Amino acid sequence: MARRSKNDDRPPRTGLPSPAALIEFLRANPGALGTREIARAFGLGPADQPGLRSMLRAIERSGELARTGNRKFVPGKTLPEIMPVERSGSDADGFPLARPVAWSEDGDAPSFRLIGAAGEELAVGQRALARLLRRDTGEIDAEIIRTLDERGIRIVGVFRRSGDGGVLVAADRRDKSEYRVLGHDAAGLADDELVVAEEMPSRRFGKRARIVERLGPADAPGAISRMTIAAFDIPDEFPPAALAEAAAARPLSADAAGRTDLRALALVTIDGSDARDFDDAVWAEPDDDPADSGANGGANGGANGGANGGGWHIVVAIADVGAYVTPGSALDREAARRGNSVYFPDRVVPMLPEALSNDLCSLVPGADRPCVVAHLWIDSAGRKRRHRFERATMRSAARLTYEAVQAAHDGRAEEPFPLAPDRLAALYGAFAALDRARVARGALALDLAEHQIVLDAERRPIAVVPRTRLDSHRLIEEFMILANVAAAEELESRQHACMYRVHDAPDPEKLAALRDFLTELGIPGLTLVKGQVIRPELFNRVLARAATTPEAPIVNQLVLRSQAQAVYSPNNLGHFGLALTRYAHFTSPIRRYADLLVHRLIVSRALTGAAIPARDAGEALGAIAEHISTTERRAASAERAALDRYRAVLLGGSIGAVFEARVTGVLPFGLFVGLPESGADGLIPISSLPSDYYDHDPARHRLVGRRSQRVFALGDAVTVALVEADAIGGRLVFRLEGESFARPRVASAGARRGLYRRRR
């Protein structure tokens, strides 16, 4: 047994205290700030401190005691035996987690592990009534009693008046029901009014609904975005506490301690003409100084020594949102709940109140703004030699648009350009080097058409047009990618926690389906050979060979569909599409919560050295990663749904019009076709195809007529006529027209094996 020193007056080590004893001590000693101080009070040695930290985290999660911003433990909210909870994600071990639906106390809400099969089945964001069970460790489990899935009975749609009441037609195209609205529930409602309703139990009237919110006339400006926001349950009103914090925020002093003064640097923002908030500003200069050997980057220094002839020094300055949105504040809780901003053609649902997103945090021209800056040095081949992060104050020299920057670079500027020619040339010179690096590492090079809705002065849609992709767009993308890589490397090299943006390799089954389709096309060289190591450059070869063929758009779409979905994670899986081993979102903290987290991790840990090891932050980051990945998918789905509805509105006056289209999807119930000019897509029902029995071949993406052997396949060019345009559901219906079915293509016997039979 080790001998104790005569000067050691601590009590003898007796092992970890019980949870009850630890809670009693913390209540009596709220000033006990750190694990070491608490360990000393219980006579614990260094080997016991990991277990003690685990107990402290369990107490904090339980809600028994809450930890304040100064790390003191104070009494938490008394938890009832039964309470409504909401699934919030999973912990590092994959156990589902939940939190209270309502939490009014200071500090973060407690987190509970869901137990039982019902807990496993609860989706993120879904609510349930749960019984709270306290374990001996002080942690609390939540056992589901019953679900409270309000989304299952919530209907967004259009009210159609009939008699003394009316019916509600759901906006969700999958819901074919009509809900009866009785006279007293329909009082004051106008015909064709958008509403939110709840399904009511009814035996006499079939499906019945009660109106809970009115969204205005279906044809009013802004109706589409309002309906889509309601349909996807996107939070669009800020809590009073968050608005109050935003209103109370004041500009930071330009000479604040710990900030470098970069106001003399000609940093500029480059965004779309309709952008309202500006997260990022850029600057570049040649870096051919022989003294720059790349050796001063510490753990982040490059391996390349000597002069950096033809290299570049790039500065990416990002709005320092963390200076205004502090952990645990009302603004922070709401930003975490929203996860990201959502963009519609006529409005933005921001992650932060406009007092911050459009003002104090936005890098507007001529105003002093706090920022987090990435200094990035690259060689002539675009390889990063080193980087350095700092907090700074900047003053944007100009707010530029992609179109204006490209016109100035091409010598087509119609008016004086606010950026000096040498500054513009440096930006494009650095971009050229980064572009060479992108090609060399083989990043996935998809060519996907994008479209935008053009609105008139009253915010009504007047056209849908393709988005033109310029080198100025790619310039900003490459600068941001480089900064994101540096952010991940900064945290990883110091062994700190990180919120990665990960993109896994494609699923083998999806690859097999893509390989079969490419073989069916019969284009020479357009194949994926089995047994190859799958890398992005293999897909790039396929895309390059298809680029000059009519099938190029559908090949790009199928390559995209074969890819895994990018998500957030505290575990680094690399980014397959970008061909990068580590990657983290850093450049858009105004509109993405992930970026705000990465800022905090860099500023509070990498710059100050106050590290929190990844193992201690993993559980919290894991739950957040799952949540913000979900809100990101929700935003993308909502934005697509809104575009579909705008397209349906614009095509509503073209019933009977004929279009050239291509088959973009083949399903047992019909063909989906896309119109290249507008990006609109719609359904040709199988019932409208030439009379036959049709078998669905999912492996080869085709419908095959059993009698005629007529084939309708993915990528086929067809002529179609518009039959129906449903603006509420964003749904278009077409029929084949003219020569589309006059020249049948006959299927081989081998292609007909194992087909799914579908009868007209």
Side-chain angles (χ1 to χ4, degrees):
M1 179 180 295
R3 182 174 298 175
R4 300 176 69 229
S5 167
K6 292 182 179 179
N7 296 325
D8 188 356
D9 57 358
R10 292 175 295 174
R13 178 179 164 192
T14 58
L16 291 172
S18 68
L22 185 54
I23 290 171
E24 183 179 354
F25 170 79
L26 293 171
R27 288 184 185 276
N29 300 274
L33 301 182
T35 305
R36 290 183 181 178
E37 185 176 353
I38 299 170
R40 189 178 300 113
F42 284 96
L44 304 179
D48 291 316
Q49 290 192 21
L52 179 61
R53 281 195 294 269
S54 179
M55 291 182 69
L56 292 172
R57 289 196 300 270
I59 290 172
E60 189 173 0
R61 284 197 301 268
S62 73
E64 184 86 22
L65 295 174
R67 221 166 194 174
T68 63
N70 61 9
R71 308 308 293 160
K72 292 183 178 181
F73 276 98
V74 298
K77 182 176 181 178
T78 301
L79 297 172
E81 181 183 354
I82 294 175
M83 72 182 307
V85 299
E86 178 180 270
R87 171 78 186 274
S88 58
S90 302
D91 65 13
D93 298 322
F95 283 96
L97 297 175
R99 59 188 172 212
V101 169
W103 187 256
S104 58
E105 299 296 304
D106 292 334
D108 294 337
S111 181
F112 316 125
R113 278 191 176 185
L114 292 170
I115 60 175
E120 293 281 353
E121 295 173 359
L122 206 65
V124 173
Q126 191 174 2
R127 297 177 176 183
L129 195 64
R131 178 178 289 103
L132 304 185
L133 306 172
R134 190 179 301 278
R135 293 194 288 172
D136 292 339
T137 60
E139 292 182 295
I140 295 179
D141 290 335
E143 183 179 41
I144 302 303
I145 299 173
R146 61 182 175 86
T147 59
L148 301 172
D149 191 4
E150 296 177 359
R151 296 172 302 169
I153 60 171
R154 190 170 178 271
I155 310 135
V156 177
V158 62
F159 172 75
R160 302 273 165 76
R161 182 163 288 284
S162 61
D164 64 343
V167 295
L168 173 63
V169 180
D172 186 345
R173 67 182 75 175
R174 297 167 299 180
D175 188 349
K176 306 300 183 184
S177 304
E178 285 192 349
Y179 298 86
R180 180 79 181 274
V181 182
L182 301 184
H184 58 278
D185 289 329
L189 289 176
D191 193 31
D192 282 342
E193 185 170 355
L194 294 174
V195 297
V196 180
E198 289 181 352
E199 185 175 0
M200 302 289 290
S202 175
R203 294 182 179 180
R204 293 179 54 198
F205 303 105
K207 289 197 172 184
R208 179 188 162 199
R210 177 176 65 87
I211 308 302
V212 297
E213 185 180 354
R214 299 172 65 177
L215 303 176
D219 60 352
I224 288 177
S225 58
R226 287 198 301 273
M227 177 175 59
T228 307
I229 289 166
F232 284 86
D233 203 13
I234 295 171
D236 65 337
E237 292 187 3
F238 286 95
L243 292 174
E245 287 182 0
R250 295 292 179 266
L252 298 186
S253 171
D255 57 356
R259 292 190 181 273
T260 305
D261 190 345
L262 295 182
R263 288 177 293 175
L265 207 63
L267 286 154
V268 295
T269 63
I270 306 175
D271 296 275
S273 57
D274 57 349
R276 300 180 185 178
D277 51 66
F278 312 112
D279 301 84
D280 53 87
V282 295
W283 180 89
E285 67 175 351
D287 180 43
D288 53 4
D289 186 352
D292 181 12
S293 65
N296 297 323
N300 305 305
N304 307 316
N308 193 22
W312 300 91
H313 171 209
I314 298 170
V315 176
V316 175
I318 306 299
D320 192 354
V321 175
Y324 296 100
V325 182
T326 57
S329 64
L331 280 169
D332 182 52
R333 292 196 297 271
E334 183 62 15
R337 184 170 78 100
R338 296 181 177 220
N340 44 259
S341 299
V342 188
Y343 293 84
F344 299 104
D346 63 336
R347 65 174 293 183
V348 177
V349 182
M351 186 180 77
L352 300 170
E354 291 189 2
L356 296 181
S357 61
N358 289 9
D359 188 7
L360 289 181
C361 292
S362 188
L363 306 181
V364 294
D368 294 347
R369 289 290 184 262
C371 57
V372 180
V373 177
H375 290 272
L376 308 151
W377 287 268
I378 61 173
D379 63 19
S380 59
R383 295 174 299 224
K384 185 171 73 67
R385 294 165 66 88
R386 62 187 178 101
H387 70 256
R388 174 170 57 83
F389 285 91
E390 66 182 2
R391 265 184 151 172
T393 300
M394 64 160 285
R395 182 183 295 162
S396 173
R399 179 268 198 265
L400 306 177
T401 65
Y402 293 115
E403 293 77 13
V405 168
Q406 192 64 48
H409 178 257
D410 296 342
R412 299 182 288 103
E414 298 180 356
E415 54 187 43
F417 191 65
L419 192 62
D422 61 329
R423 296 269 60 86
L424 182 63
L427 290 174
Y428 273 86
F431 160 61
L434 291 174
D435 194 47
R436 288 192 290 273
R438 178 190 61 80
V439 173
R441 72 175 186 267
L444 192 59
L446 289 166
D447 182 14
L448 300 169
E450 294 185 23
H451 296 80
Q452 62 181 353
I453 303 296
V454 180
L455 305 175
D456 63 14
E458 296 181 350
R459 297 186 300 146
R460 295 182 185 276
I462 56 176
V464 54
V465 298
R467 287 187 184 272
T468 303
R469 184 164 169 79
L470 306 169
D471 276 349
S472 55
H473 291 95
R474 299 174 59 226
L475 182 157
I476 292 299
E477 286 177 6
E478 292 301 324
F479 277 34
M480 298 305 114
I481 288 171
L482 182 63
N484 288 341
V485 169
E489 289 183 353
E490 179 73 26
L491 294 170
E492 189 172 292
S493 67
R494 299 176 185 270
Q495 298 183 342
H496 298 332
C498 183
M499 180 66 81
Y500 294 98
R501 178 67 168 177
V502 301
H503 182 220
D504 209 349
D507 179 85
E509 290 187 7
K510 291 183 178 180
L511 280 182
L514 175 62
R515 187 180 292 112
D516 289 344
F517 176 76
L518 294 176
T519 301
E520 284 289 314
L521 283 180
I523 299 175
L526 199 66
T527 56
L528 283 175
V529 180
K530 291 183 179 180
Q532 289 179 301
V533 177
I534 299 300
R535 291 190 289 266
E537 60 185 333
L538 297 180
F539 295 103
N540 289 342
R541 293 174 196 168
V542 169
L543 295 171
R545 289 166 183 156
T548 57
T549 70
E551 290 81 8
I554 197 63
V555 171
N556 274 268
Q557 282 291 337
L558 284 178
V559 170
L560 175 64
R561 293 178 197 174
S562 72
Q563 304 301 306
Q565 189 168 43
V567 296
Y568 295 105
S569 173
N571 303 312
N572 184 23
L573 302 177
H575 198 293
F576 178 85
L578 293 175
L580 294 169
T581 55
R582 57 189 62 81
Y583 190 67
H585 275 169
F586 161 79
T587 55
S588 297
I590 290 178
R591 63 185 179 91
R592 293 188 305 224
Y593 193 70
D595 303 55
L596 175 57
L597 286 177
V598 170
H599 274 230
R600 287 175 180 163
L601 292 164
I602 288 176
V603 169
S604 66
R605 294 161 193 174
L607 297 186
T608 67
I612 295 181
R615 65 177 181 273
D616 289 347
E619 181 176 320
L621 286 182
I624 295 171
E626 188 170 346
H627 171 69
I628 61 178
S629 296
T630 299
T631 61
E632 179 190 48
R633 290 192 293 271
R634 177 181 66 182
S637 297
E639 291 165 0
R640 284 195 301 269
L643 285 176
D644 287 343
R645 288 173 174 133
Y646 275 107
R647 290 182 175 117
V649 168
L650 289 167
L651 288 169
S654 301
I655 302 300
V658 175
F659 303 89
E660 296 304 316
R662 281 198 175 270
V663 177
T664 59
V666 181
L667 293 168
F669 51 82
L671 307 171
F672 279 98
V673 295
L675 310 184
E677 289 300 316
S678 65
D681 62 69
L683 176 69
I684 302 176
I686 197 169
S687 60
S688 69
L689 295 180
S691 181
D692 204 341
Y693 294 88
Y694 286 91
D695 297 310
H696 179 224
D697 182 352
R700 293 175 174 81
H701 305 278
R702 51 170 56 180
L703 290 176
V704 181
R706 291 182 66 82
R707 292 197 306 268
S708 65
Q709 298 303 298
R710 192 186 313 269
V711 175
F712 295 100
L714 192 67
D716 282 354
V718 291
T719 302
V720 297
L722 181 62
V723 175
E724 179 185 345
D726 173 17
I728 301 301
R731 179 172 176 265
L732 301 174
V733 178
F734 296 95
R735 68 170 181 267
L736 288 174
E737 192 75 8
E739 297 296 312
S740 290
F741 53 87
R743 297 186 299 274
R745 186 173 63 196
V746 178
S748 66
R752 297 197 299 271
R753 295 193 189 102
L755 303 184
Y756 177 87
R757 180 174 174 177
R758 181 75 178 183
R759 180 176 181 176
R760 179 178 180 268

